[in-house]
Amino acid sequence: MTTHLEVIDAGLGVSIQDLGRPGYRAIGVPLSGALDPLALAAANALAGNGAALPALEIRFSGPTLMLAEGEATRLALMGAATAEIIGPEGEKRLAEPQTSFLLRRGEKLKVGRTNGTAYLAVAGGFGVERMLGSAATYARAGLGGIKGGVLSPKDQLPCNGVGEDEDALHQSEALPYASGPLRVLPGPQEDQFTPEALDVLLSAPFSLSPAMDRMGMRLEGARLNHNDRGADILSDGVLPGAIQVPGDGQPIILLADGQTTGGYAKIACVISADLPRLAHLRPGDTLRFARVDRTQAAAARRAQAEAFARWKAGIEIWKAPGRIDIARLYTTELITGVTAGYCPA
Amino acid sequence: MSTGEARPFAPFPQVRPLSDTALTVVFGTEVDPQVHAQVMGLARQLEALRDAPALAGVSEWIASFTALTVYFDPDVADVAALEAELARLAGAGAKAILAGRVWTLPACFENDYAPDLADLARLQGLSEEAVVSQFLAARYRVYTIGFLPGFPYMGGLPEALQVPRLATPRTEVPARSIAVAGGMCAIYPFKSPGGWRLIGRTPLNLFDPAREAEPALLAAGDTVQWQRIDAARFAALEAEADAGTLDPQQFLGEGPHDHAS
C-alpha cells in the first residue's frame, strides 16, 4: 500500500515544485520549479533525498496534512515557518526546525505562516506524475503538481518513501545566502533607457509592491526613464531574474513562472546566484541593486555552490534515544560530514 | 518621457548579455520576414551544431521576432567562447531557406466566438463579412511562441484590420480564441486574461502535454492560413479535440481541406 498524505487544509500558495521544466521555452513553457532551489535542495537533503525531488513550496501559509495511508513517513521543513505535529488524541509536539521528523498514521502536520518561502520535503519525494520532464506545478497550463494546480483540500499526496527509522537528520546552521544588494548584470536593452536610469537602479532603494506571485514581482521607487525608443520592444526571450521596465518606469522582476518572452525593455538581470534570495522578499521590503560583471557573477555562483556543499556536509544524524546503529553510520553518505556523537533525549 | 539621447545601435547582428545564463543575438528592430529568416537560420545552425564543443552547456533557445535568445549552463559553458561562436554563426548570415510547415487551420466566426468582430468592423468602416474575408485571405507567419505555452505571435494581418488592443483587457479570454492586435494575430491556448481583440475561435488544442514530442501545435517559422467552418463543424471538431482524438496533422498543408467526414 502506498503512503499518502491527505490535504486537510490547503494553506495559501502551496504547490508541488522541483527544479523546473527546462527545454520547452521555445514553445512558451516557463521554467517553473522552486523559487528557491537552494532551500528545496536543503529540505530534500534533510529528508534524505537528492536535490531535485518534488517537494511542497509554501509561499504564505502552510497546509495541514494527515498521514492517511501507510505506517509512517519522514518529512523535513526548511524555511521561516513553524510546524506542529498533532496526534490522533489532539496531543501536540513541535517539529524541530531544520530537522527531519516522522509522521505516523493518523497524525497531522500543521505548518504555520511563513516568513518568506518554505519547503516541505518527504522521504523519497512526492510521487506525482512528471509532465514534460518535471513535477513542477504550472497552474496556468495545468502542468505538474496535483491535477495541475495548487493544493486543494482532500488532495492525496503520494509519498514515494517510507519512514521507519527513528533517527533524524539535523542542521542547525542557516542556509548560506549572500547578503547586501541584489547583484545584477546590465542588459540587454539598457540602451532604451536614459543614461541616468541605470544609475538610479543601482543607487536608489526600491520597495516591493504587494503585486507579486510566482510569475514576478513589481517594485516601486524612483522612475527608470526610457529614452526616445520607449518601453516597448518586440517580444524576445526572457528568464527568471530579468528586470523589465514598462512605460510607468517601475521595474518588474520575473520569477520562475514568468512568461518565456517579454515585450518590455529589460534594463538588467539579477544574477542566477541571487535568485534564491528573491523568494524570501515580502511586500514592503526594501531592495537595492549592485552591478557586477560576468566574472563576478560566475564567482558568486561557485561560492554559493561551495557554501551549500559545506552546509549539506554539516548535516548531523540525531540518534533516537536508546538506539545505536553503527551500520547506518558507515553506510550513510552523510558520514562525509561531521556526525553528532549525541542523541537528544 | 525622456530627455536622454539614444545611443546609436551598433551594426547587426549583435550578441547581448541577458544574464549570466543567457545571451541574446539581435538581428534587427522591425518585424520583417527577412530578419526573422536570419533568426531561424541561426536556430537551424545551433540545432545542427548541438554537440560542437563551442556550444557546450547550451541547453535551449527561443526564436523571436528579431532575436534568438540562447540559454546555457554557466558551470559548463565557456561564455566568452560561446559569445564569439554565436557572433561568428550569426555574422555568417545563413538564412533558413525552408519556411517551416504550412497549416490550414479551422476558424469559426459564429455563436459567441467573435465578440470583438462587430467593433473591429465598425472601427474600420467595414462589414463583418468583409473583415472575415480579408482575414481569411491572408497568410500568417509564426514569429515566436510566448506569453503562454503554445501561444503563437503571428505577423501578416492585413492593414485594414489593424486596430490597437482593448483599452481594458478582459479578465478572461476563452481558450482557443483567435485574436488580433496591431499587425499581429494569435490564438489563446488556455483561458487567460488578455487585451487582444477576439474575432473567432478554432476548435484545436494549441498545446497538449500528452503530445510529448511536440506539445505545441505551432512553431516559430510556420505559416498559417485559416479556413472557415460553421458552428456544427466546430462542435464536432471541438468534441474530438476535447476527447484527445483529433489528429492535428490533418490540418498540415495548403488548404482548403475537405473536412467532410
Side-chain angles (χ1 to χ4, degrees):
Chain A
M1 182 168 288
T2 52
T3 306
H4 274 89
L5 285 167
E6 182 177 321
V7 178
I8 307 296
D9 179 323
L12 191 62
V14 183
S15 64
I16 288 187
Q17 298 295 341
D18 57 17
L19 292 181
R21 190 172 280 118
Y24 296 95
R25 289 197 246 222
I27 54 170
V29 181
L31 195 56
S32 300
L35 292 173
D36 181 352
L38 219 54
L40 171 75
N44 268 325
L46 290 171
N49 299 338
L53 289 191
L56 286 181
E57 179 178 276
I58 305 164
R59 300 272 291 126
F60 303 108
S61 74
T64 300
L65 309 170
M66 186 175 76
L67 191 70
E69 246 180 68
E71 285 308 309
T73 192
R74 182 162 288 287
L75 295 147
L77 181 67
M78 198 63 215
T82 55
E84 57 184 13
I85 297 156
I86 306 167
E89 313 295 329
E91 68 280 16
K92 291 178 182 173
R93 65 182 203 274
L94 211 61
E96 296 269 355
Q98 302 195 173
T99 307
S100 70
F101 55 90
L102 273 189
L103 192 70
R104 294 184 177 81
R105 190 214 296 269
E107 287 184 328
K108 288 178 198 155
L109 173 70
K110 185 177 178 189
V111 182
R113 286 192 64 80
T114 63
N115 182 19
T117 301
Y119 293 87
L120 179 70
V122 63
F126 288 103
V128 298
E129 191 194 349
R130 282 177 162 70
M131 290 171 84
L132 305 180
S134 168
T137 308
Y138 174 59
R140 289 196 128 203
L143 295 178
I146 303 289
K147 293 173 287 190
V150 296
L151 288 201
S152 341
K154 297 201 169 70
D155 279 350
Q156 301 288 323
L157 308 178
C159 308
N160 279 335
V162 292
E164 293 156 346
D165 196 332
E166 298 282 325
D167 300 342
L169 296 179
H170 166 80
Q171 166 57 288
S172 51
E173 298 285 326
L175 269 179
Y177 294 105
S179 56
L182 290 161
R183 292 164 289 185
V184 299
L185 287 170
Q189 283 104 22
E190 76 273 29
D191 58 357
Q192 289 199 209
F193 293 85
T194 64
E196 300 77 38
L198 189 60
D199 295 336
V200 171
L201 180 74
L202 298 175
S203 59
F206 289 86
S207 169
L208 187 56
S209 107
M212 69 173 293
D213 55 22
R214 282 183 43 86
M215 293 182 68
M217 46 174 62
R218 269 176 198 277
L219 309 185
E220 293 164 348
R223 192 186 162 111
L224 305 178
N225 286 313
H226 301 86
N227 61 28
D228 300 343
R229 294 197 183 115
D232 294 344
I233 59 166
L234 289 169
S235 289
D236 65 4
V238 296
L239 79 177
I243 305 174
Q244 55 178 27
V245 186
D248 65 3
Q250 301 291 285
I252 298 168
I253 308 180
L254 297 176
L255 299 176
D257 280 356
Q259 56 195 69
T260 51
T261 61
Y264 297 123
K266 295 171 283 296
I267 191 167
C269 186
V270 176
I271 65 171
S272 56
D274 278 351
L275 292 180
R277 297 168 60 190
L278 298 176
H280 305 288
L281 296 171
R282 281 296 181 236
D285 282 357
T286 299
L287 286 71
R288 286 181 180 277
F289 299 96
R291 177 182 194 153
V292 292
D293 63 24
R294 184 185 284 167
T295 310
Q296 291 167 312
R301 226 177 127 89
R302 275 194 305 276
Q304 184 181 72
E306 287 161 11
F308 181 73
R310 281 194 299 276
W311 185 92
K312 191 173 166 224
I315 292 177
E316 305 168 325
I317 301 173
W318 274 6
K319 297 295 294 172
R323 288 189 69 226
I324 300 165
D325 185 353
I326 298 294
R328 185 184 158 94
L329 281 177
Y330 284 104
T331 53
T332 174
E333 61 174 48
L334 297 161
I335 199 77
T336 51
V338 181
T339 302
Y342 62 91
C343 309
Chain B
M1 277 288 281
S2 78
T3 52
E5 199 157 311
R7 277 173 285 149
F9 280 112
F12 296 111
Q14 307 162 357
V15 183
R16 295 176 168 222
L18 169 59
S19 81
D20 58 323
T21 62
L23 294 165
T24 294
V25 186
V26 186
F27 290 90
T29 56
E30 304 292 329
V31 179
D32 175 353
Q34 288 303 310
V35 172
H36 194 246
Q38 288 180 272
V39 174
M40 297 310 296
L42 180 57
R44 255 161 224 265
Q45 292 188 79
L46 294 184
E47 191 65 59
L49 296 171
R50 243 180 203 284
D51 302 323
L55 298 181
V58 168
S59 52
E60 56 185 315
W61 48 84
I62 296 178
S64 53
F65 295 96
T66 58
L68 191 83
T69 300
V70 178
Y71 299 84
F72 56 86
D73 177 351
D75 300 333
V76 178
D78 174 342
V79 185
L82 175 60
E83 197 169 36
E85 179 67 358
L86 289 174
R88 188 185 71 78
L89 293 171
K95 294 180 186 179
I97 308 298
L98 297 168
R101 300 165 296 182
V102 177
W103 298 88
T104 302
L105 303 181
C108 184
F109 305 94
E110 299 172 22
N111 291 346
D112 57 352
Y113 299 157
D116 297 323
L117 185 58
D119 266 356
L120 195 151
R122 190 176 45 76
L123 282 169
Q124 303 304 90
L126 296 168
S127 68
E128 290 183 33
E129 192 48 44
V131 170
V132 169
S133 62
Q134 287 213 40
F135 180 74
L136 293 172
R139 288 162 67 92
Y140 301 87
R141 180 185 182 91
V142 180
Y143 280 98
T144 188
I145 306 286
F147 178 57
L148 286 170
F151 181 100
Y153 288 86
M154 299 184 282
L157 190 70
E159 210 155 314
L161 306 186
Q162 297 187 9
V163 290
R165 295 171 194 215
L166 296 171
T168 308
R170 284 186 170 81
T171 53
E172 192 177 311
V173 172
R176 299 168 172 157
S177 292
I178 301 167
V180 297
M184 292 282 148
C185 172
I187 312 161
Y188 283 82
F190 304 96
K191 74 170 183 220
S192 139
W196 293 38
R197 293 177 196 259
L198 314 183
I199 62 158
R201 202 174 293 178
T202 183
L204 306 185
N205 290 329
L206 272 288
F207 187 88
D208 180 359
R211 302 192 293 246
E212 186 87 27
E214 221 170 353
L217 183 70
L218 301 175
D222 285 359
T223 297
V224 169
Q225 52 189 26
W226 295 103
Q227 182 179 17
R228 184 179 203 152
I229 57 171
D230 64 18
R233 183 68 194 148
F234 182 95
L237 288 172
E238 187 183 46
E240 280 186 60
D242 287 341
T245 56
L246 184 64
D247 178 10
Q249 302 300 313
Q250 65 185 286
F251 303 105
L252 267 177
E254 304 273 350
H257 291 287
D258 180 9
H259 289 311
S261 43

